[in-house]
Amino acid sequence: MPANQDRYETAVARYFEAWNAGGKEALTKAVTAAWTADGTYTDPLSDVRGQDGIAAVIAGAHEQFPGFEFRLTGAVDGHHDLARFSWELVAVADGSAPVAGFDVITLSDDGRIRSVHGFLDRVPAGA
């Protein structure tokens, strides 16, 4: 296990706290804790820079998928300032997971996320 495993797992835990934050104030606080001020988020559907842009992407996901939460699937793997992990978007009501993917993050010296490169493995038609 890499010596920095706790660093990777902490960053990923903050990432999920942001994605699962409810309400604008909680979301802003969680994004600030997880990402650097100039952090980026890029996936096939989004490419944003800065905490406001990241918060807007997360808020959009909440609007599109109300009643869902993001969950880690498997272990966090990391080396140097990089970590990767898989996730699912799960319906709280029935446990279905229509969206799944994996992300690669780059960490800053303070352990916050500098960049996210997301990949979508499963997306429902029309999403």
Side-chain angles (χ1 to χ4, degrees), residues 26-103:
L27 176 57
T28 299
K29 183 177 179 181
V31 168
T32 300
W35 271 270
T36 60
D38 62 345
T40 63
Y41 179 86
T42 304
D43 70 14
L45 307 173
S46 304
D47 187 10
V48 297
R49 176 177 295 278
Q51 294 170 345
D52 289 343
I54 293 164
V57 167
I58 293 171
H62 285 259
E63 289 174 17
Q64 187 174 4
F65 294 97
F68 285 76
E69 66 182 19
F70 287 87
R71 294 185 187 162
L72 180 67
T73 58
V76 176
D77 183 27
H79 65 82
H80 296 86
D81 289 333
L82 298 170
R84 67 178 177 168
F85 54 93
S86 298
W87 53 266
E88 289 183 324
L89 182 61
V90 179
V92 175
D94 66 9
S96 63
V99 182
F102 78 92
D103 292 349

